[in-house]
Amino acid sequence: MHNIKTEEEIDILKQNADLVSRTLAEVGKNIKPGVSTLELDSIAEQFIRDHGAVPGFLGFNGYPNTLCISINSEVVHGIPSKYELKEGDIVSVDCGTKYKGLYGDSAYSFAVPPISDPVKKLLKVTEESLYKGIEMAIDGNRVGDISHAVQRHAESNGFSVVRELVGHGIGKEMHERPEVPNYGNKGKGPKLRSGMAICIEPMINLGTKNIYQEDDGWTIRTYDRKPSAHFELTVVVQKEKANVLSTFKYIEEFYELK
Ligand code: MG
Ligand code: MG
């Protein structure tokens, strides 16, 4: 059950995580009004293939694209389309890779400025809640410690936590055990052990926590159609401090929430 990775597997996961991180930045550089989400998808696919990897989501359970791009009230699993970005949009980009037999998976919610103050706060708090969760990803803690930290930060700022979709272990499969919910109780759930690789991915809503799936069979949207944000990083549990494999540093080199 513990799903402990070898040093070699962690090294390959790190290579995937780095490529996913660079791909998210490459996509982010192209986010501006008038660009379609399909254009962003091709940029990502080309970038991943140019680096000798394959898109992790393409064909996964029949998924048609490289990225999931979820706009505004879309929470996750938005399918790239001819939709053209406009000012005020939240653009949540989720990216996966497969390289040397293992997976990478991370997500970042960009904004097309100008955005409203409540949306700005939603984005900031969702990213912060991810880091609160990562602080708990240490040997001897339980999954519920991560879940509780994410939930407490999001809810204490007046936002709500999506229940139906959760983080996960990652390795030879994109989704492995354990599930990592973004809500829960301290001290509950599976024990975290050094060498476990997990994706922590808060999906946080401005309004109700409730969601529904669109008729396309993929897109998840907030029930009240208010905005949602999503940030995801891959980490390896260690003693004292998690080893954070993916990173937003390539994004932060050129992008700042305004
Ligand atoms: Mg993801
Ligand atoms: Mg994931």
Side-chain angles (χ1 to χ4, degrees), residues 94 105 166-168 175 199 201 232:
D94 197 348
D105 182 14
V166 297
H168 50 89
H175 297 142
C199 293
E201 50 178 315
E232 175 179 21

Side-chain angles (χ1 to χ4, degrees), residues 35 39 68 78 107 127 137 141 145 150 160 177 180 184 227 256 258:
V35 173
E39 288 173 78
C68 295
E127 185 176 4
N141 274 1
D145 294 309
V150 171
S160 68
R177 290 194 296 169
V180 184
E256 186 183 4
K258 286 193 282 285

Side-chain angles (χ1 to χ4, degrees), residues 14 21 38 66 87 89-90 153 162 210 213 237 251 256:
K14 174 75 184 171
S21 305
L38 260 180
T66 292
E87 288 183 356
D89 280 347
I90 300 175
H153 190 67
V162 171
N210 298 326
Q213 189 176 49
V237 175
I251 292 170
E256 186 183 4

Side-chain angles (χ1 to χ4, degrees), residues 1 17 52 72 76 142 158 203 235:
M1 164 60 212
N72 299 330
V76 286
R142 290 183 182 269
M203 287 152 263
V235 310

